Amino acid sequence: MKFIISTLAVAGLIATASAQTTDTDRKFTALDVFNLEYATDPQPSHDGSEIVYVRRSNDIMTDRTRSNLWSVKTDGSENRPLLSGRDNYSSPRWSPDGKKLAYLSSAEGSNQIYLRWHDSGQTALLSNLTVSPSNITWSPDGKWIAFTARVAVKNPTLAKPVPKPKGAKWADPMVIIDAARYQRDGSGIMTPGYTQIFVLPSDGGTPRQITKGNFDSGGSLSWSADSSHILFSSNRHENWEMESSESDIFAVDINDGSLRQITNEPGSERNATYSPDGSKIAFTKQSNAKVMFKNTYLYVMNADGSDEKNLTPDLDRPASSIKWDQDNQHIYFQFDDHAVRAVGKTNFDGDMEIVALNLGGTSLGRPYLSGGYNVGKSGLIAYTYGTDQRPANIAISADNNRRVLTALNEDFLSHKDLGEVHEINYTSSIDGTPIQGWYLTPPNFDPNKKYPLILEIHGGPSAAYGPGFSAEFQRFAAEGYVVFYDNHRGSASYGEKFSMLLHNKYSSEYDFADHNSGVDAMIDLGFIDEDNLFITGGSAGGIAAAYAIGLTDRFNASGVIKPITNWLSKSLYADSSTGQLRNQFPGYPWDHVDHFWKRSPMSLVGNVKTPTLLMTGEEDRRTPIPEIEQYYQALKLLGVDTIMVRVPGSPHGIAGRPSRLNAKVDNIMAWFERYKK
C-alpha cells in the first residue's frame, strides 16, 4: 500500500517533533562525546603568519580519537586542513628554513617520518623504520632529523631449550625476566630494550643509531648551533633501574657517537635546550630527596656546563617546557599556580613576567591541568586555550593580549545547555588548611531547589584539577547532579609546603577531612540535598574514595574506580613500584607493615556500609585489577552491596576510548540512581 503525505502534513510533523525534542537536543549526552574536538601541539610559522596544530576528534565508527594536521592564520582566518582523513598525523615540526614540515603518521601501516612541502602541499615518506620514532627534531642546518626510538635487545635465557622435532607444535617458550622495570601500563610485560637516539638525512636515506648501551637515552632533544651534536638526558649509572630520581645531561657527537657528560650531580637534570647561538644551555633541575614532592627549578649554564644559575629560586612551582627567545637573553617556561597553567618569561637575572594564561583544555574526560605552548622565531606565542565551557582552541599572545583563533566546538556546543563551573574556597576541619575547590551546577540551575551531590576526587595524588571542561562532569550535571571537586593537600600548583602535607599520609584522615569539609561547605550553600550524597574518584581518587567509606557512612553510594586497596600487595607488583616505594613511603613494606596497612583502604573495610561499585581495566598495571578483586571479596563477605565492573583489554586509562568514557559514566550514574532517596 502506498502512502502519500502532503507537504503541510510533513511540516506539521517536523514542527511537532521539534517541539518535543528541543529540551532533549540541548542536553549534553553520551553521543555528544563523539562530537568533541580539541587542539594540541601548536607550531608557529617562522614569520608568525600562521599556526600549524594537531586537531583531535573522536570517530564514532572506530571508537578512536583521530589526529589530523590543520593550519590557521594568526588573524583567525583560513582555518583549514593540511593532512586530514581517517589516518593519524601528529608532531608537526617546521624545517629551519620554514619551507617544510616533518611529521609522524602511520598512514602506511607503521609509524614513520614524513615531509610536507608547505608551498605545494606535496608529501613524501622519509623513513622506512622498524622502530617507532618520537621526539623528532630538525638540525639547525636542515640536513638531519633526530628522533628517539626503543630498540629491542636479546631476551635473557636460562636453560637451553630442548630441540623439537621438525613440524612439531609445542607450547610457546617460557619468558625469562631479569629487569627491575619489566612492565609498563599500556604495554604490559615489555620486550627487553632501551630508548636510543637516531639521526636521519632530511632528504631521505638510512637512519643511524648514535647512542648505545643498556641505558635509556630519551626525553627532549636539542641540537648544537653547528649541528654537530645533540643534548639529551639519561641515567647511565650501573644501578639506574633503582634510581627513579637521577638523570644527567649528555651531549652525543652525531659523527662518531662519542659522549660528553655535562652535568653530574645528585638529582635530575633534564630538558636541556641550547640557546639559538649555542652559547648557553637552559635546563630543569630537581633534587633526589626521598619525598613525594620535589620542586623543579629552571637553570641556565654555559654550553660547557660551567657557571650554572637558578633562574627561579623563589618560584615554588615546578618549571617545565623550556623555549628560548631568539635574542639569546630570555627563556620561556611553563608552570602551574593555583590551578591555572601559565607561561613565564625570564632573563638571566631571574626577572620574570607572565606572558600567557589559561593553558588547558586537552584533558577531555576530567578537568586536569593540561595544555601546552610554543614560541616561534618571530616571538609569537601560540598555545592551547581552554575554558570550563570549551575544550582547547588555539590562541596566541602578543603584548600580553590573548586572541583565540579557532572555535572547534561552537558548531554543536553553542546549541547545548551545559553545566557551569563555580569556585569555592574553604578550610579543612582537621587543621584549618585552606582548600580550593569547584562545583558544576546542572543546566537551568535553580538555587532554591535541592540537588544530589557527587564528590569526585582527582588522581595522582600529586596532580590537580582546575576550572576546565570535563565531558564526564558535564554528563553528571546533565542528569541533575551537582558535581563537587577539590584540590586537596598534596595537589600540584600550590607549592612545596602544601604538597608535602600529604607526604607519607596517603590515604589518611587528612585528605579525607579536606574532601569531607568540602561536602559540608557545599551543603552550607543551601541547594544540596543532604539525603543524596555520592562519592567517586579514579586511581589515587579511587584510593581516597575507598578510604573515605571506611571512615564515614554519609554517602548513599560510592564509585571506587581503579584504586589501590592494599599497599602491601600493590607496592610490589605494579609498574610504578620502584619510584613509589622510594618517594612515597618510609621504606620497604616488610620493614613498615603497620604503615603500609594503615594507608590501605583494606585496613578499614570492616567499617564499610556504603554500597560500592568497583571498576578497573583488566590490563591495568598501574593499579592492577587484583586490588579491586580483594576489596570486592571482602565486601561480599561482609554483606555490603557491591558490584565489580571489569573493563576488558583496558590499561589504567579506562576512559581512553570515547565509548569507554561513556560506559564509565553510565555505570557510575546507574549505580548512584539505584541508591538515590
Side-chain angles (χ1 to χ4, degrees), residues 70-83:
W70 282 60
S71 171
V72 62
K73 297 293 186 183
T74 49
D75 62 3
S77 66
E78 297 186 42
N79 186 32
R80 59 184 181 177
L82 299 182
L83 293 159

Side-chain angles (χ1 to χ4, degrees), residues 79 95 321 347 598:
N79 186 32
S95 61
S321 192
N347 59 20
K598 187 177 181 180

Side-chain angles (χ1 to χ4, degrees), residues 569-589:
S569 56
K570 186 271 179 188
S571 63
L572 294 174
Y573 65 76
D575 72 341
S576 54
S577 294
T578 306
Q580 208 159 40
L581 283 173
R582 182 189 188 278
N583 299 319
Q584 206 165 311
F585 290 95
Y588 294 124

Side-chain angles (χ1 to χ4, degrees), residues 252-270:
V252 58
D253 189 294
I254 70 163
N255 293 312
D256 60 15
S258 60
L259 289 182
R260 177 168 60 92
Q261 186 166 352
I262 298 177
T263 64
N264 185 18
E265 299 179 30
S268 297
E269 295 87 53
R270 293 190 172 98

Side-chain angles (χ1 to χ4, degrees), residues 491-512:
S491 300
S493 79
Y494 300 90
E496 181 176 3
K497 182 179 179 181
F498 186 83
S499 292
M500 287 297 290
L501 289 174
L502 205 58
H503 182 57
N504 285 345
K505 294 179 182 177
Y506 196 77
S507 192
S508 67
E509 64 274 19
Y510 287 90
D511 57 283
F512 167 73

Side-chain angles (χ1 to χ4, degrees), residues 9-32:
V10 171
L13 288 171
I14 292 173
T16 303
S18 298
Q20 292 174 342
T21 60
T22 297
D23 291 341
T24 301
D25 288 345
R26 296 196 66 85
K27 183 177 178 180
F28 188 80
T29 67
L31 287 178
D32 287 328

Side-chain angles (χ1 to χ4, degrees), residues 454 456 472-481 483 665 668-669:
I454 295 176
E456 210 281 348
E472 293 185 27
F473 292 5
Q474 289 291 347
R475 293 277 329 273
F476 288 136
E479 300 304 321
Y481 290 91
V483 184
V665 172
I668 293 171
M669 283 198 297

